[in-house]
């Protein structure tokens, strides 16, 4: 074991908590070194700084550690009745370690949590309570004004590519229609707004999607890619967004190859409406979080089969995108 360095002794006398940052040859009782491909929440709670590796949540979702100063958010949409795995955001604050938020519960490095919780509180414009994955009687989506912000927005239109590998239905045009519900002139519920939210489909790609089969987020590639792949049963799709200081830099989406999908104008049978689910996922991509399941809004967390009403924004959805863009 390395002896305590002179520097650490000085710091130790002044502020004992700072000793935690002396990784490399930690004396007994210091925070463990957090690296490798199986970093747990319990380890992060020890306060270590993390520059690389993979965080594994208790539910098995895996996240590649984002680089310092970057937040990665995973936003799943569940099929109604399935267990909602919860939204996750992981911020690498650098020296203060990783802050992990699962729905409204914060974990991870205590110093990072204090920092990020304060930042989230400052920018929060949450107008509804936490979304509950229950199936109460739907309220009219034109009488519900709620929306939540995820804490990031785009400074420019989203340039994205489509990976058709494994597609269950021809998806590019349908998924794009979901995006365009939020862009430009938006009229719904008797309210008309013009948003600066935008997207451009660059074309097809074979590039991998940064959403993993566990429903977590892999490494940021710098390119936004949307496509298909396996996901846990009950999860229809997952959107991962990477952001720095509140400005989004990449979004990837994975639609489940295990679910039955409809890509047609009229949906029938026990299939999920790709356009409707994509509209929800793009709401996340642009920076909107969930509303209550009984809000009847596009941004409620769970979808039923052939829920074509989810293609059309409700009042809270319009107010939310207008507030962001
Ligand atoms: Zn969602």
């Amino acid at each position: 074991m390395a002896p305590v360095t002179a520097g650490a002794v000085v710091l130790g006398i002044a502020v004992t908590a700072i000793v935690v940052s002396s990784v490399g040859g930690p004396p007994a009782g210091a925070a463990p070194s957090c690296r490798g491909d199986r970093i747990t929440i319990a380890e992060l709670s020890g306060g270590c700084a993390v520059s690389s590796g993979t965080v594994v949540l208790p539910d098995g979702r895996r996240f590649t550690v984002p680089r310092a100063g970057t937040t990665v958010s995973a936003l799943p949409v569940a099929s109604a009745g399935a267990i909602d795995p919860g939204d996750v955001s992981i911020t690498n604050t650098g020296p203060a370690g990783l802050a992990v938020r699962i729905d409204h519960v914060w974990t991870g490095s205590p110093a990072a949590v204090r920092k990020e919780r304060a930042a989230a509180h400052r920018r929060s414009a949450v107008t509804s309570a936490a979304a509950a994955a229950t199936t109460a009687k739907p309220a009219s989506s034109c009488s519900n004004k709620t929306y939540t912000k995820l804490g990031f927005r785009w400074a420019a239109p989203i340039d994205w590519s489509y990976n058709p590998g494994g597609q269950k239905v021809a998806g590019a045009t349908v998924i794009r229609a979901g995006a365009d519900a939020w862009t430009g002139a938006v009229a719904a519920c008797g309210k008309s707004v013009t948003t600066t939210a935008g997207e451009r489909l660059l074309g097809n790609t074979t590039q991998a999607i940064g959403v993993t089969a566990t429903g977590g987020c892999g490494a940021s590639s710098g390119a936004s890619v949307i496509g298909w792949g396996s996901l846990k049963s009950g999860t229809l799709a997952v959107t991962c967004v990477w952001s720095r200081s509140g400005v989004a830099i990449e979004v990837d989406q994975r639609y489940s190859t295990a679910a039955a999908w409809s890509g047609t104008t009229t949906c029938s049978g026990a299939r999920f409406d790709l356009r409707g689910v994509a509209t929800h996922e793009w709401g996340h991509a642009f920076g909107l979080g969930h509303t209550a399941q009984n809000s009847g809004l596009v941004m409620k967390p769970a979808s039923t089969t052939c829920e074509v009403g989810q293609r059309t924004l409700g009042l809270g959805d319009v107010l939310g995108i207008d507030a962001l863009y």
Side-chain angles (χ1 to χ4, degrees), residues 27-113:
S33 170
C34 288
R35 55 171 71 101
D37 65 358
R38 195 165 286 277
I39 303 167
T40 65
I41 296 293
E43 286 168 340
L44 292 176
S45 300
C48 52
V50 190
S51 57
S52 65
T54 303
V55 174
V56 184
L57 300 189
D59 64 17
R61 281 184 283 179
R62 297 169 63 86
F63 291 80
T64 301
V65 172
R67 65 192 180 101
T70 300
T71 298
V72 62
S73 305
L75 306 145
V77 60
S79 56
I83 293 168
D84 177 8
D87 297 347
V88 177
S89 76
I90 298 179
T91 299
N92 188 349
T93 67
L98 298 193
V100 179
R101 185 177 177 177
I102 305 172
D103 278 334
H104 293 265
V105 179
W106 291 88
T107 57
S109 160
V113 167

Side-chain angles (χ1 to χ4, degrees), residues 160-187:
W160 62 285
S161 301
Y162 179 70
N163 186 334
Q167 65 181 2
K168 302 291 282 184
V169 295
T173 306
V174 180
I175 290 169
R176 190 175 195 192
D180 287 340
W182 303 96
T183 62
V186 175

Side-chain angles (χ1 to χ4, degrees), residues 75-78 84 87 237 280-281 284 288-290 298-302:
L75 306 145
V77 60
D84 177 8
D87 297 347
H280 175 92
E281 293 305 302
H284 287 318
L288 291 173
H290 286 145
V298 168
M299 294 317 297
K300 65 185 173 50

